[in-house]
Amino acid sequence: MNIYKREIVTLLIAALAILTAVGFFLNNLQKEKSTVRTDLYTLITPKSYALLQINRPHAFAKYILSQKTEYDIFASNIPSVLLSIIQETPELSSSLLSFNQQGVVLYTHADNRLIRQIEKNTLEKRFHTFTPQQQTKKGITFHYYPDTGNRFFGYFQYNDIWVASYSRKLLEEVASMLTIGTRYLLPQQDSLRKVLDLNVPLNLLLQTDCLPPSVQLNDSISWKIPTGWLAADLFMNEQHLCYSSSLPFYSTTDSLPFHIGDTLAKHLNLYFPQFKVTNQTTTDKNQIYFTGKLIPQ
């Protein structure tokens, strides 16, 4: 009888161990599926005028942000704390920055361990004077670090997503999108991102409203930049920041594409006067292709 009881107990323990292992496996599988399902582009706010996709954060930090002039370019548009997070978090996965009139938002995939690493390596050192304030709305906890100029740097975690910004309004808007399921990704944005080169460190999506409205060749020939969005790949080559992009083009005038390329290069020079912008223009059927370098002056 005692042997029989021991066999029952052994079988129960074995069954419990198997169920625990299966539960652990299914839980991890569910987390992996959640990570795959979560598309950062679906979280962009409706009034974003530019998107910077960081495919390789480590390469971005090591080869681009390590160069002072290149760092200054990004620091002129991106809060330094966000750049510090990218530089000081080697394990950061591909991330997305959206640019809005109210501020810049960083989206990335992160578990609790990685978030703790961001807090320890960057946030606690940068905002060491005060402990972060916490505010919970609709089940999401927001953390806000007081900063200079009466500003607050905030972030929140939702499942596998970590979102950070200086704009409380944008953080709450993204949180609402996550919980309600509202999406603002435009068809043109979705189409353009599918042709981007994910092997380069950075991809840029930019509203064409930010570019010069038209290019004039002479009194009778002109070309207008299409309304919508422009996509570009950004990478380092020979220690220079380079870009590659294209635009739809319809014209029988052979020289117009080169005037368009020169106009866009001059436009970039206005934004980045510390660089000399070189540009090469080629055409293929109904597309104009632009490649160039930003060379420090």
Side-chain angles (χ1 to χ4, degrees):
M1 180 64 70
N2 290 334
I3 295 176
Y4 180 69
K5 288 182 178 180
R6 283 198 299 270
E7 289 178 350
I8 293 176
V9 171
T10 301
L11 288 174
L12 288 174
I13 293 174
L16 182 61
I18 292 172
L19 289 174
T20 301
V22 170
F24 180 77
F25 171 77
L26 292 176
N27 184 55
N28 284 343
L29 184 62
Q30 185 62 33
K31 288 182 179 178
E32 291 178 4
K33 287 182 178 179
S34 176
T35 301
V36 172
R37 283 200 305 267
T38 307
D39 182 356
L40 298 179
Y41 273 90
T42 63
L43 305 179
I44 61 175
T45 53
K47 295 184 179 180
S48 300
Y49 61 82
L51 304 168
L52 185 66
Q53 180 174 327
I54 308 171
N55 300 312
R56 298 161 57 196
H58 181 67
F60 179 38
K62 183 175 181 180
Y63 299 109
I64 299 179
L65 295 180
S66 61
Q67 308 295 321
K68 183 184 183 308
T69 310
E70 281 75 6
Y71 178 90
D72 290 343
I73 282 185
F74 292 97
S76 65
N77 295 279
I78 302 170
S80 60
V81 62
L82 296 181
L83 295 178
S84 295
I85 289 171
I86 295 168
Q87 291 176 300
E88 296 164 0
T89 315
E91 296 181 34
L92 197 68
S93 64
S94 59
S95 306
L96 184 68
L97 287 165
S98 70
F99 298 81
N100 311 264
Q101 293 299 327
Q102 297 95 338
V104 181
V105 183
L106 170 66
Y107 312 82
T108 192
H109 296 283
D111 56 18
N112 292 332
R113 182 187 59 80
L114 187 60
I115 293 172
R116 180 55 191 155
Q117 185 177 334
I118 292 172
E119 292 172 337
K120 182 178 179 181
N121 292 350
T122 303
L123 302 184
E124 292 177 1
K125 292 179 181 178
R126 188 182 186 94
F127 306 112
H128 58 84
T129 306
F130 303 99
T131 57
Q133 303 175 9
Q134 294 188 12
Q135 182 180 22
T136 301
K137 288 187 175 182
K138 297 181 179 179
I140 295 180
T141 300
F142 298 84
H143 304 257
Y144 294 102
Y145 287 88
D147 200 358
T148 58
N150 199 29
R151 299 185 304 163
F152 288 83
F153 178 77
Y155 73 85
F156 73 84
Q157 178 190 17
Y158 184 84
N159 293 336
D160 65 313
I161 298 297
W162 190 77
V163 185
S165 177
Y166 271 104
S167 172
R168 183 188 298 262
K169 179 180 179 181
L170 290 174
L171 283 176
E172 292 181 354
E173 188 172 358
V174 176
S176 178
M177 291 167 59
L178 278 164
T179 54
I180 298 175
T182 308
R183 299 293 182 260
Y184 296 101
L185 180 66
L186 299 175
Q188 188 180 12
Q189 294 170 329
D190 194 31
S191 297
L192 282 174
R193 67 173 179 142
K194 292 176 181 177
V195 300
L196 294 170
D197 185 357
L198 302 183
N199 293 312
V200 301
L202 305 170
N203 304 129
L204 177 67
L205 289 179
L206 181 69
Q207 273 191 345
T208 53
D209 292 345
C210 302
L211 301 173
S214 63
V215 177
Q216 190 75 33
L217 180 59
N218 53 44
D219 293 337
S220 60
I221 298 176
S222 65
W223 178 82
K224 291 186 177 181
I225 291 180
T227 58
W229 288 76
L230 169 72
D233 297 321
L234 303 177
F235 53 94
M236 291 294 287
N237 184 29
E238 298 178 350
Q239 296 187 334
H240 296 305
L241 184 63
C242 301
Y243 65 89
S244 175
S245 183
S246 66
L247 280 172
F249 172 73
Y250 305 94
S251 176
T252 58
T253 306
D254 293 337
S255 60
L256 184 56
F258 302 98
H259 284 272
I260 296 170
D262 290 342
T263 300
L264 292 177
K266 291 177 181 177
H267 192 72
L268 285 174
N269 264 131
L270 293 176
Y271 277 100
F272 309 114
Q274 66 271 49
F275 287 92
K276 175 185 176 182
V277 181
T278 68
N279 183 75
Q280 290 184 336
T281 306
T282 58
T283 60
D284 179 17
K285 295 182 179 180
N286 298 322
Q287 289 286 119
I288 312 176
Y289 297 94
F290 309 101
T291 56
K293 294 180 181 179
L294 278 68
I295 303 174
Q297 299 199 83

